Amino acid sequence: DRATIERVVAADPAVDAIVQLMTLQRGPRCIMVLMDVDFADQLDTADIERTVARLRADIQAAVPAARDIYLSARRRPDTVNPA
């Protein structure tokens, strides 16, 4: 299931990278997904909101047991400019 989630998210053109992915098996047919995603730089807030909604739907379609899905925006550590 984890590999499927990674494949679904990485295939989205609005995603530059998956920074971190954690899954938690909460029952026989219930998975919690916690993910930090580096979104494409040109996206504005509305684009990111639409992308998050699309990713949640795509993940649930590919992995029906993924019921609780939490996504947050975070840059990859190698792309952060030091102050």
Side-chain angles (χ1 to χ4, degrees):
D1 291 340
R2 183 183 170 98
T4 301
I5 293 167
E6 288 175 340
R7 193 169 44 256
V8 166
V9 174
D12 193 291
V15 173
D16 279 347
I18 298 169
V19 178
Q20 184 173 23
L21 170 61
M22 294 178 283
T23 58
L24 175 66
Q25 189 77 39
R26 296 184 58 208
R29 288 182 225 82
C30 185
I31 298 170
M32 178 185 289
V33 179
L34 304 130
M35 188 179 316
D36 293 332
V37 178
D38 185 0
F39 293 100
D41 289 338
Q42 71 272 16
L43 300 180
D44 63 18
T45 303
D47 293 330
I48 292 173
E49 289 174 352
R50 284 188 292 274
T51 300
V52 167
R54 182 176 62 244
L55 289 172
R56 283 187 178 136
D58 292 349
I59 291 168
Q60 286 183 320
V63 182
R67 297 199 183 152
D68 298 316
I69 301 169
Y70 301 94
L71 300 168
S72 63
R74 181 167 304 177
R75 287 195 176 278
R76 291 183 309 232
D78 62 332
T79 62
V80 176
N81 296 326

